[in-house]
Amino acid sequence: MKNPSSLDFLTEALRRLPGVGPKSAQRIAYHLMQHDREGAALMSRALSEAVERVKHCALCNTFTENEICETCLDTERDATQLCVVETPGDQLMIEQTLTFKGLYFVLMGRLSPLDGIGPKDLHLDKLIARATDGVVTEVVLATNFTNEGEATAHYISETLKTRGLKVSRLARGVPVGGELEYVDAGTIARAMLDRRST
Amino acid sequence: MKNPSSLDFLTEALRRLPGVGPKSAQRIAYHLMQHDREGAALMSRALSEAVERVKHCALCNTFTENEICETCLDTERDATQLCVVETPGDQLMIEQTLTFKGLYFVLMGRLSPLDGIGPKDLHLDKLIARATDGVVTEVVLATNFTNEGEATAHYISETLKTRGLKVSRLARGVPVGGELEYVDAGTIARAMLDRRST
């Protein structure tokens, strides 16, 4: 007894999803075939459409279906400020805060020597060209506050400062609503060092 | 700033995967577009092929690309024995033990009144027709030993026994390699009640 070959092919293909092993892939395949063929057909269409249409913005490197993304084309935005983020998801989060009106550069990753991701994989040459176009005056580094995100921010900061640009980093400190008892010591130490006069 | 529409469509479609919420769907979509477009294209093909080709065996209800599945067509098998399982995955597990040479009936689920799954959804009429074809003499119930699996076995057993068929159930007891100290009391109680002379 064995599965029909198209089901085996589907199981094998589903293993390309991040974090899905052989058992989960088989369970997902059975689920789709038994309970949600409509969903499976929808996913098939969505995947092929996205593969065909989605590309990277020539200016900020985010996902777009056009040569230049909507954000970069928006003339209402302050082109002197450039915010560097790791992913489009991070960009969305910052946009939701309504605190930044400049433009973005999306790295689509972070420096990670262990995974073999170096400056070239992050298109840092594209970022440097963008930052030194004569319009940008300040680069705001908004990579994650993980070890890799910090290292990435440090690397970019060093590279851009030698070119005479103003480079800043999102503030670190106690989260809004945070109770000191439950915040880790490293965060409190940083908040103490960076304390501000009121 | 917003995602290109084909990326939003993909994120929405990926939410049809079992256990995937909006955040995970977006992360998967970004991952596929950034790191594995080949995998995305492969999955698209596999999904549409499976939707098109996979159907249910007319005899045993399992997945197949033909009218009758390979197992049911196999004349080497003992057609007097019929093993009832919940899923094709369960069938694969039993096949691997090489302890059963009969045929199967795959319920593709279990009775679950809370989820609105009743006897009709499990094609129990198909099972009864198959079991009472005059060839089958014993039905082995191999549904899971969960509450729902046990209830399903009980229901099928009652239905088939009134038709004069021999119905059996996989033995319950201490797993091979099991240490009594770490086995739950219910299992030990069952193993004690079902103890066998040596």
Side-chain angles (χ1 to χ4, degrees), chain A residues 1-2 4-6 13 16 30 34 36-37 43-44 46 48 51 54 56 63 65 70-71 88-89 91 108, chain B residues 1-2 4-6 9 13 16 30 34 36-37 43-44 47-48 51 54 56 63 65 70-71 88-89 91 108:
Chain A
M1 178 265 175
K2 57 187 182 54
S5 63
S6 54
R16 302 292 278 261
Y30 287 160
Q34 184 63 22
D36 195 11
R37 289 188 178 226
M43 253 182 278
S44 170
S48 67
V51 167
V54 174
H56 293 279
F63 292 124
E65 293 182 8
E70 279 184 31
T71 311
Q91 185 183 356
M108 294 288 176
Chain B
M1 178 264 173
K2 57 186 185 51
S5 64
S6 54
F9 178 38
R16 301 292 277 258
Y30 287 159
Q34 183 63 19
D36 195 12
R37 288 188 180 225
M43 252 182 278
S44 169
L47 283 161
S48 67
V51 167
V54 173
H56 292 281
F63 292 125
E65 294 182 5
E70 280 183 31
T71 312
Q91 184 182 358
M108 296 288 176

Side-chain angles (χ1 to χ4, degrees), chain A residues 3-17 20-22 24-34 36-37 39-41 43-44 47, chain B residues 17 39-54 63 65:
Chain A
N3 281 327
S5 63
S6 54
L7 203 63
D8 276 342
F9 178 37
L10 176 58
T11 304
E12 205 46 53
L14 288 169
R15 291 189 55 187
R16 302 292 278 261
L17 292 169
V20 169
S24 313
Q26 185 164 84
R27 209 167 297 136
I28 296 171
Y30 287 160
H31 168 83
L32 291 174
M33 288 302 103
Q34 184 63 22
D36 195 11
R37 289 188 178 226
M43 253 182 278
S44 170
L47 283 161
Chain B
L17 291 169
L42 193 77
M43 252 182 278
S44 169
R45 256 200 333 278
L47 283 161
S48 67
E49 271 187 36
V51 167
E52 197 180 306
R53 293 191 197 162
V54 173
F63 292 125
E65 294 182 5

Side-chain angles (χ1 to χ4, degrees), chain A residues 1 8 26 51 61 70 80 83 92 97 108 117 119 124 132-133 143 148 150 154-155 157 164 187 190-192:
Chain A
M1 178 265 175
D8 276 342
Q26 185 164 84
V51 167
N61 200 38
E70 279 184 31
T80 66
C83 180
L92 277 172
T97 69
M108 294 288 176
I117 300 173
L124 291 190
T132 56
D133 62 357
T143 54
E148 293 174 340
E150 291 280 22
H154 181 75
Y155 182 93
S157 169
T187 297
R190 174 55 65 176
M192 183 61 79

Side-chain angles (χ1 to χ4, degrees), chain A residues 27 85 105 122 153 161 165:
Chain A
R27 209 167 297 136
V85 292
F105 188 88
L122 296 184
K161 275 197 286 194
L165 275 161

Side-chain angles (χ1 to χ4, degrees), chain A residues 20-159:
Chain A
V20 169
K23 280 258 174 187
S24 313
Q26 185 164 84
R27 209 167 297 136
I28 296 171
Y30 287 160
H31 168 83
L32 291 174
M33 288 302 103
Q34 184 63 22
H35 300 293
D36 195 11
R37 289 188 178 226
E38 195 192 314
L42 193 76
M43 253 182 278
S44 170
R45 256 200 332 278
L47 283 161
S48 67
E49 272 187 34
V51 167
E52 198 180 307
R53 294 190 197 163
V54 174
K55 47 189 180 177
H56 293 279
C57 172
L59 288 175
C60 77
N61 200 38
T62 197
F63 292 124
T64 175
E65 293 182 8
N66 307 308
E67 192 60 23
I68 310 286
C69 76
E70 279 184 31
T71 311
C72 287
L73 286 175
D74 186 348
T75 52
E76 303 273 289
R77 286 182 169 266
D78 178 359
T80 66
Q81 300 210 307
L82 188 69
C83 180
V84 179
V85 292
E86 294 185 17
T87 67
D90 296 338
Q91 185 183 356
L92 277 172
M93 291 304 290
I94 292 176
E95 282 293 286
Q96 281 170 23
T97 69
L98 304 173
T99 54
F100 182 76
K101 290 290 164 208
L103 296 171
Y104 289 88
F105 188 88
V106 184
L107 298 170
M108 294 288 176
R110 62 213 65 90
L111 289 178
S112 178
L114 287 177
D115 301 324
I117 300 173
K120 275 190 187 156
D121 303 290
L122 296 184
H123 307 284
L124 291 190
D125 46 340
K126 209 165 148 182
L127 166 59
I128 291 167
R130 177 80 190 270
T132 56
D133 62 357
V135 180
V136 174
T137 55
E138 181 183 0
V139 174
V140 182
L141 299 175
T143 54
N144 287 323
F145 288 80
T146 58
N147 286 337
E148 293 174 340
E150 291 280 22
T152 307
H154 181 75
Y155 182 93
I156 296 173
S157 169
E158 292 302 306
T159 312

Side-chain angles (χ1 to χ4, degrees), chain B:
Chain B
M1 178 264 173
K2 57 186 185 51
N3 280 326
S5 64
S6 54
L7 203 63
D8 276 343
F9 178 38
L10 176 58
T11 304
E12 205 43 54
L14 287 170
R15 291 190 55 186
R16 301 292 277 258
L17 291 169
V20 169
K23 280 258 174 189
S24 313
Q26 186 164 83
R27 209 168 295 135
I28 295 171
Y30 287 159
H31 167 83
L32 291 174
M33 287 303 102
Q34 183 63 19
H35 300 293
D36 195 12
R37 288 188 180 225
E38 195 192 316
L42 193 77
M43 252 182 278
S44 169
R45 256 200 333 278
L47 283 161
S48 67
E49 271 187 36
V51 167
E52 197 180 306
R53 293 191 197 162
V54 173
K55 45 190 183 176
H56 292 281
C57 173
L59 287 174
C60 78
N61 201 39
T62 197
F63 292 125
T64 176
E65 294 182 5
N66 308 307
E67 192 58 26
I68 310 285
C69 75
E70 280 183 31
T71 312
C72 286
L73 286 173
D74 187 347
T75 52
E76 302 273 287
R77 286 183 167 265
D78 179 359
T80 66
Q81 299 211 309
L82 189 69
C83 180
V84 178
V85 291
E86 293 185 17
T87 67
D90 296 339
Q91 184 182 358
L92 276 172
M93 290 304 290
I94 292 175
E95 283 293 286
Q96 280 169 24
T97 68
L98 305 174
T99 54
F100 182 75
K101 291 291 164 206
L103 295 172
Y104 288 88
F105 188 88
V106 184
L107 298 170
M108 296 288 176
R110 62 211 68 86
L111 289 179
S112 177
L114 287 179
D115 300 322
I117 300 174
K120 272 187 189 160
D121 304 289
L122 296 184
H123 306 284
L124 290 188
D125 47 340
K126 210 164 146 184
L127 166 59
I128 290 166
R130 176 81 189 272
T132 56
D133 63 356
V135 180
V136 174
T137 56
E138 181 182 0
V139 175
V140 182
L141 299 174
T143 54
N144 287 322
F145 287 80
T146 56
N147 284 340
E148 293 175 340
E150 291 280 24
T152 308
H154 181 75
Y155 182 93
I156 296 173
S157 169
E158 292 302 306
T159 312
L160 293 180
K161 275 198 289 195
T162 60
R163 288 168 168 82
L165 274 162
K166 185 181 166 195
V167 183
S168 56
R169 179 88 170 106
L170 290 193
R172 278 164 294 198
V174 180
V176 174
E179 296 184 74
L180 291 190
E181 191 178 347
Y182 300 106
V183 171
D184 67 296
T187 298
I188 296 179
R190 175 54 65 175
M192 183 61 79
L193 290 171
D194 289 355
R195 66 188 181 279
R196 303 185 51 165
S197 54
T198 57

